[in-house]
Amino acid sequence: MRPFVYERPADVSAAVAVASRFADQQDQPTKADVQFIAGATNLADYMKLGVAKPKRLLDLNALREPTLRQIKIGDGIIRFGALVRMGEAADNDDVRRICPLLSESLKLAASGQIRNMASLAGNVLQRTRCEYFRETSWPCNKRDPGSGCAAMEGFNRQHAVLGTSDGCIATYHGDFAQALIALDATVEIEGKRGARRMEFAKLHRLPGDTPDIETNLAPDDVIVAIEVPFAAWSRRSHYLKIRDRESYAFALASAAVALDLDGNMIRHARIALGGVATVPWRAKAAEEALQGKTLDQEVAETAADAAFAEAQPRRYNAFKIPLGKRTLVRALLETRDMKV
Amino acid sequence: MPKVISTGTSTVSKLSRRSFMSGSVLAAATMPIITRSAKAEEPPSDGQDNARALAAVSMRVNRQSYNFALDNRTSLLDALRDHAGLTGTKKGCDHGQCGACTVLVDGRRVLSCLSFAVMNEGRDVTTIEGLAAADGSLHPMQQAFIDNDAFQCGYCTPGQIMSAIGCVNEGHAGSEDDIREYMSGNLCRCAAYPNIVAAIVQARDETRRS
Amino acid sequence: MNQAAPAPKENMGQPVPRIDARLKVTGQAGYSADLAAGNVAYAALATSTIAKGAIQALHLDRARAVPGVLDIVSIGDMDQIEKPKFGNTGASSIGPLHDKTVFHDGQIIALTIAESFEAAEEAAMLIEADYAQENPSASFDSQGTKIEPAAGKSPMYKEDAKVGDFDSAYASAEVKIDQKYSTPTQHHNPIELFSTTAWWQGDQLTVHEPSQNVTGWKIELARQLKIDPANVRIISPYVGGAFGSKGPMTARTAIVAVAARRVGRPVRCVVSRMQAFGTQTYRAETRHRIRIGAGKDGHITAFAHEGWEVTSRPDPYVVGGASATARMYNYGSVLTHVSLVRADRNTPGYMRSPPETPYVYALENAMDEMAVALGMDPIEFRRINEPQKEPIGGKPFSSRSLLKCYEQAARAFGWSRREARVGSMRDGDWLVGMGCATAIYPTAVAPCAARIRLTADGQVRVQCGSHEIGTGVRTVAGQMAAERLGVDLDKVSVEMGDSALPPAPVSGGSISTASVCSAVLKACDAVRQKLFAAAVGEGGPLAGSGNAKLDMAGEKIVADDGKSAALSDLFKTMQIGAIEEYAEFAPRGSSPEALKKLYAGESEFHGGDQDQDSVKYAFGAEFVEVRVNSHTREVRVPRLVGAFAAGRIMNTRTARSQLMGGMIWGIGQALHEATEIDQRHARYVNRDLQDYLVPVNADIKEVEVILVPEIDHEVNPAGVKGLGELGNVGTAAAVASAVYHATGKRIRDLPIRIEDLVT
């Protein structure tokens, strides 16, 4: 690991100021000389592997603003402070009651220890676990732009079938982000340019020709909160995660579903898919396919077909298309059948 | 008015001496306020020398104060093992994938391999060496692991025990299925899993009774 | 008494807790990298990023410039020492720093030594190599592999077993199958990382390293370093999981020893999880073709098992499990053939239940297919083909309780509730399947030495250079001594894991309990004879009881005429404070050189199919229930039942735990574990515990272990059959059979994954 300077800013404005001073604005946050750290579960791992090489770490855990550590619920909004730990959010009874999808997506992620460490903002910004990205001896367009993609023709069982490009097929492995994108969440950001809000759906960028550019954040942007709208319908929401083992594994396919039902008729479905795409993936085509329909197996299958219509399989991950569809169908039916 | 439902660090304060944790960790119920915070107008120099300078790091480990001089890169795990001589905490992967390095920081179970030691300034750390009472009597979880043969080679055991204590304290040991799920961050390659679950049930029930 | 401590049945010892349990739950058990070495310098490996070619240049300047770096050992720096040897003690003949040739991905190219772990790691990551790269062969289907017969390449696999005329029997069989099976590369991944700590005091070299063979390593390390073995000491008091991975010594040990000599202080190298995949051994991937022919009545008339196994270019590691499958049932005719496929890979090695795990998986999956083809219950099919004598040499089994195991396990499992028709059992959205398979493991034993000291206060010290790898051997050796010398177990201390102790064989092949207990028994009996002679001798406290039968109990010598003498009194009479006996145990049929070999670090195995009088195996029957989600097709195994017979059970607690752990290993074999290889580059892709999946707690629900009483005096004086590896054999086939039962899909290539079932 490269040595780094360690600092512990006292408040958000200090963090932004130090970051702006040491980061080249042209740098991606993941490549900048100065990087933020909170839970450390993703960044420390990648620093050990030589994938992340910050020269200066700004530890956000001492930021004095109490709202960073609070979950506030009111006016149809759940506001998660950025430093709330995944475990705390998962255990919050009100969140679970209001929107089970949020709690389930958190509870099914990682392990008890990691959930105790990882901050919510850090979690949504976690980087791909692509094996070829993790190990610096492989070519990787995301890690070293222009070097090529070893996964494309390599062992790509884990890799994405949606949102891929010729340069990158690395999966976005997070779970919570699937809930957030399905629920039209918003992130609150403070940066050199002042405070601003961004739709969660705009936070992550498709790999395209620049898989190294992962988000629309500047290197001195600090996410301070994530806001999720809720209403009566959000009680009928659910996260289904399918993986090789029962726990502590990334999704092979997952589905975040929230259904606004009028009797058996779908007023509005909100759907996101995990484990199958390069970024948190809102399945709008599936949602549209369900609009106004009565949800049964056949309708669910039509929606699942729509969700994967554009999927691009590779040699070892072609199964993710049928698996992703089946996962969505099962999630839809289970959500329909929830007692709320 | 938005209602405050929970705050970031409220879980620790519910513990009592008899509920698994040693009393000392109760002290640190809020994020410590650090005096070494950076001021934007006074940035430290950015030379390599500065990055390589050893940092003074203080923390409490098993009710004792430690003052370390550490490389910023040193993990909490390596600080405990190589600098405090507390080798009970184990390195099994060094990447947060096995749970062998689990310790309690301010009462919560975390992976010490993924935490830089400097990030733990002022924290209260409990390791496997800090569980038994001064008279040598074992923590109920330790005794339960013996009674239920909840290990074979014993290497993952300190992490399992610390994680098990955290699991019970978090309220995630209500059912055997809960225990299995919330203990899945601790790999046991000897595969003593059913015995680990039985041990946690035993210790949980004993603690409830007392 | 709880589930972990089953009540002993006939010929079973008490479920006493492990004697090192307190140390293990308090963090006081010292594993190799925990042991203090004083002023230790830290070392880190740099490894190759290609699988085949040659190193043209190594760039070390940036690494040397890292503050705190003390030295770098790299290619050319080992020229003064001997290259490693491949065999039972050495993992591979590749001397990575002797040679610019790259034989495999992840081969050591340098070792950095620094004042801190952080500096050593930083430096190692800055080392770059220029390679002359060649196209590597990754595995079976790659261009450029070399295929050759395995027979004779290993002392453990001398010939392909064969009997009768398979071809004509198969041709005329009424019912037959001809199928192919495969198992993947797997790495042991013990949770303890591999490590070496070495230091010199003058000519004396001390090494702390997790080892299953301290005596063998002492001899081999001394040979490589060209020094007197008497000057080498390997210390390994606790081993954090081994499973075969710490049996053979790897090239790193000598490299770290050389580094320690160069920097003049202790050097510790803890190998990263990632680097372990290329610097340690692993289970070779295997392929199998099995043909079984039978009459409509279910009697097998023809059995052929052909196996192919990947090994490295330089070393002919043989798995060779056809020797066990050939002896499993009453086949009529048998044909086996094993081939090695040489590829550009590191050398494989022993991994829990070699060679049975992959070979018996293939056989038992095929047996289930055959039962289906015959329309017969799979247990009944095995019962019909239960042999009276092993089919190859016609020798009797020293004992064989397989059918008892099937009966007891089937009853506990509720096999009678199984509906035979495929896909007929369901629980809500879950398809339910049930399957069973046979477990078999050869019962072997090897020469072993032990020293026993008994003092007047009834304290016993057992010393034996065996290894506590989690099996509980320290506990059962203590139990044996306590029982023979009539003292409580808490008065017994057991020292192991040190090459300065009396030598023991490699802790592999499930031989430790049998070998160690036989040696301890012999030493204890020598102590007893001395005490008995003194007790009944002239002036002794039991003078006059010379014709009585004597025993030791309650710290007394007890005569069956009712008299007894306290140990303390007897020692007073004898005017001594302690008795110490050193025993060398050699199994029946040992070669004249057997004991000499023991001291030379070689383990002469007896038993299995090697003995003249009989074949010796332990058996078991395993039953599993699987659930496959009807939508998403993930497979879960909520219930396992295994019944095992393994001669004398020394301690029902440690025995149950080992068998249970083995069965859960079988779940990993069936559903999770595979080291993935990038076929283009012959490089491992998933070199960590994030992507190399092993079962977690949530994967395992009910596991029931039934210990079936069995008495076998023939196997060894202790009457013990090893069981550390038995539980892991058969499980994967039982899972495959249950998945078939649930879904109608016969998966023949392990691991069984969701992609096999979802499309």
Side-chain angles (χ1 to χ4, degrees), chain C residues 398-554:
Chain C
S398 66
S399 58
R400 179 176 168 118
S401 307
L402 177 61
L403 295 184
K404 263 189 212 159
C405 292
Y406 265 108
E407 279 161 30
Q408 295 192 21
R411 198 179 317 129
F413 181 79
W415 183 255
S416 58
R417 294 197 299 273
R418 176 180 184 261
E419 294 169 38
R421 190 168 53 83
V422 161
S424 60
M425 300 181 75
R426 202 176 165 118
D427 180 7
D429 280 345
W430 294 85
L431 310 173
V432 177
M434 295 179 174
C436 63
T438 302
I440 177 173
Y441 200 78
T443 297
V445 61
C448 183
R451 188 189 292 117
I452 300 281
R453 186 173 68 189
L454 172 67
T455 46
D457 57 0
Q459 296 283 341
V460 176
R461 185 185 68 181
V462 179
Q463 293 179 306
C464 175
S466 188
H467 319 83
E468 179 51 86
I469 58 176
T471 55
V473 66
R474 198 184 239 122
T475 303
V476 299
Q479 280 181 278
M480 177 61 89
E483 183 187 308
R484 295 303 288 169
L485 299 179
V487 302
D488 287 344
L489 184 58
D490 60 11
K491 299 198 91 169
V492 182
S493 67
V494 183
E495 296 174 15
M496 284 188 177
D498 185 338
S499 66
L501 296 170
V506 59
S507 289
S510 293
I511 63 168
S512 283
T513 298
S515 307
V516 170
C517 286
S518 294
V520 168
L521 182 66
K522 189 169 176 182
C524 287
D525 284 350
V527 171
R528 286 160 60 102
Q529 290 319 311
K530 276 201 179 153
L531 291 174
F532 292 170
V536 298
E538 199 181 319
L542 300 180
S545 294
N547 293 325
K549 191 162 178 280
L550 301 177
D551 200 356
M552 295 178 74

Side-chain angles (χ1 to χ4, degrees), chain A residues 52-215:
Chain A
K53 293 184 278 192
K55 289 181 178 162
R56 179 174 298 261
L57 274 190
L58 302 187
D59 182 349
L60 301 182
N61 289 300
L63 298 184
R64 67 165 65 95
E65 291 87 345
T67 51
L68 292 168
R69 298 182 190 83
Q70 291 170 347
I71 300 172
K72 293 183 181 177
I73 301 176
D75 301 333
I77 299 284
I78 306 174
R79 186 180 190 279
F80 293 102
L83 288 177
V84 171
R85 267 38 190 181
M86 293 172 74
E88 296 166 36
D91 285 351
N92 186 296
D93 291 335
D94 294 285
V95 172
R96 187 181 306 120
R97 188 171 43 78
I98 293 166
C99 185
L101 165 57
L102 288 167
S103 306
E104 291 171 7
S105 72
L106 288 160
K107 185 194 155 180
L108 294 174
S111 68
Q113 292 95 314
I114 290 176
R115 295 194 295 267
N116 278 352
M117 299 175 80
S119 69
L120 294 181
N123 175 253
V124 300
L125 293 174
Q126 71 173 298
R127 308 185 71 192
T128 183
R129 312 294 174 133
C130 167
E131 300 95 328
Y132 294 98
F133 170 77
R134 283 176 68 74
E135 204 181 321
T136 55
S137 59
W138 293 104
C140 171
N141 290 324
K142 188 184 275 296
R143 184 174 13 83
D144 300 311
S147 61
C149 173
M152 205 67 75
E153 304 299 328
F155 182 72
N156 45 34
R157 177 176 187 264
Q158 283 210 23
H159 288 72
V161 294
L162 293 168
T164 57
S165 73
D166 292 342
C168 183
I169 56 171
T171 301
Y172 175 84
H173 285 99
D175 298 298
F176 185 47
Q178 310 302 343
L180 296 178
I181 198 166
L183 297 166
D184 293 315
T186 306
V187 288
E188 271 182 46
I189 298 162
E190 291 201 29
K192 196 180 173 188
R193 289 166 288 168
R196 66 187 197 282
R197 297 165 64 82
M198 187 188 286
E199 287 173 40
F200 188 80
K202 301 239 166 83
L203 180 62
H204 294 85
R205 288 172 56 130
L206 285 165
D209 295 333
T210 52
D212 55 312
I213 307 177
E214 298 179 2
T215 64

Side-chain angles (χ1 to χ4, degrees), chain A residues 254-271:
Chain A
S254 71
V257 172
L259 293 178
D260 184 359
L261 294 184
D262 180 2
N264 287 328
M265 196 270 291
I266 299 170
R267 222 182 266 130
H268 189 185
R270 293 167 175 82
I271 298 172

